[in-house]
Amino acid sequence: DAGVIQSPRHEVTEMGQEVTLRCKPISGHDYLFWYRQTMMRGLELLIYFNNNVPIDDSGMPEDRFSAKMPNASFSTLKIQPSEPRDSAVYFCASSVRGTSAYEQYFGPGTRLTVT
Amino acid sequence: AQSVTQLGSHVSVSEGALVLLRCNYSSSVPPYLFWYVQYPNQGLQLLLKYTSAATLVKGINGFEAEFKKSETSFHLTKPSAHMSDAAEYFCAVSGGNFNKFYFGSGTKLNVKP
């Protein structure tokens, strides 16, 4: 199995630009999670989906952030406009209901730098 | 509500020494508990999990953890540290809504030669 795939691995952009992060979950997994990791705030859950439907977006910091899951094999996290404080590592994770205590499998992350 | 507290943001041990990383949890329902490891510039990898079966859980790379309900703890141990164990370790709890994990702030383990 290829695991969770994220792209790009690194993104450097200027303040005000739109940023789109991409995630492909493990095939057959029906839950998808977006996390943000920073030194100051640690690992934060931003949003998660079940069967492509957003279930809990209470962690999305503000309206500049949006996430979509158009199908079972693809999700995007978009920041528009980006700000320097959005600099962080963004992780995508997936899990499948009913097995292995819903353990989450993480992708390698996207390191975002906003200058 | 669920939450996790990891005592000690940095732990340093000598190679061959015992590793003990502390995790205390709070949960209003019987929890599932997890330890993840993160190596530099990588994602999180599951080390082990507790799912209400055996209270002593063995994981990969020689790590184990014991669920102690009376102490609301799930400490991670390894008898003999190896240089390759240097990484950041995260404890997580889920319960009720088992899909949603609550992560601790992480403990960075340094292994000295």
Side-chain angles (χ1 to χ4, degrees):
Chain A
D1 199 322
V4 176
I5 299 172
Q6 292 186 248
S7 65
R9 291 295 310 277
H10 301 272
E11 177 79 42
V12 180
T13 191
E14 293 184 348
M15 182 175 62
Q17 297 299 305
E18 177 179 296
V19 175
T20 300
L21 311 181
R22 297 173 175 80
C23 175
K24 177 180 170 56
I26 293 173
S27 177
H29 282 195
D30 53 356
Y31 285 88
L32 184 138
F33 306 82
W34 282 101
Y35 290 88
R36 177 172 69 177
Q37 185 178 39
T38 61
M39 291 289 292
M40 292 297 295
R41 301 176 67 90
L43 198 61
E44 304 173 274
L45 175 65
L46 300 177
I47 185 171
Y48 78 91
F49 296 82
N50 176 220
N51 290 325
N52 314 335
V53 176
I55 302 300
D56 184 347
D57 66 354
S58 59
M60 295 286 263
E62 46 197 279
D63 292 345
R64 298 184 297 106
F65 286 70
S66 62
K68 294 182 179 179
M69 192 165 186
N71 57 62
S73 59
F74 184 66
S75 177
T76 59
L77 178 68
K78 186 176 293 186
I79 308 173
Q80 167 63 21
S82 58
E83 297 182 3
R85 59 193 168 119
D86 301 331
S87 297
V89 180
Y90 291 81
F91 289 104
C92 177
S94 69
S95 69
V96 58
R97 180 181 176 87
T99 66
S100 302
Y102 305 90
E103 65 189 65
Q104 295 181 15
Y105 295 81
F106 282 75
T110 295
R111 183 174 297 276
L112 173 64
T113 303
V114 183
T115 61
Chain B
Q2 285 75 40
S3 67
V4 167
T5 301
Q6 291 185 240
L7 295 177
S9 58
H10 290 80
V11 170
S12 187
V13 301
S14 297
E15 192 173 21
L18 171 72
V19 175
L20 171 59
L21 304 182
R22 299 178 186 275
C23 171
N24 288 89
Y25 70 91
S26 172
S27 179
S28 54
V29 298
Y32 286 175
L33 292 156
F34 306 82
W35 275 101
Y36 281 82
V37 60
Q38 184 180 29
Y39 298 102
N41 300 314
Q42 294 187 26
L44 279 68
Q45 178 185 357
L46 182 69
L47 268 180
L48 50 79
K49 62 190 178 191
Y50 166 76
T51 59
S52 73
T55 56
L56 182 62
V57 181
K58 295 186 183 299
I60 62 172
N61 302 338
F63 284 93
E64 63 182 36
E66 186 172 9
F67 172 69
K68 292 187 177 181
K69 183 178 179 180
S70 60
E71 299 178 9
T72 60
S73 69
F74 190 58
H75 301 330
L76 182 70
T77 60
K78 182 174 181 177
S80 177
H82 192 272
M83 296 297 291
S84 61
D85 295 327
E88 188 161 17
Y89 293 80
F90 292 89
C91 182
V93 64
S94 69
N97 178 359
F98 290 109
N99 307 295
K100 193 168 182 178
F101 283 20
Y102 297 84
F103 283 88
S105 54
T107 298
K108 287 187 177 178
L109 176 65
N110 177 47
V111 182
K112 299 175 292 185

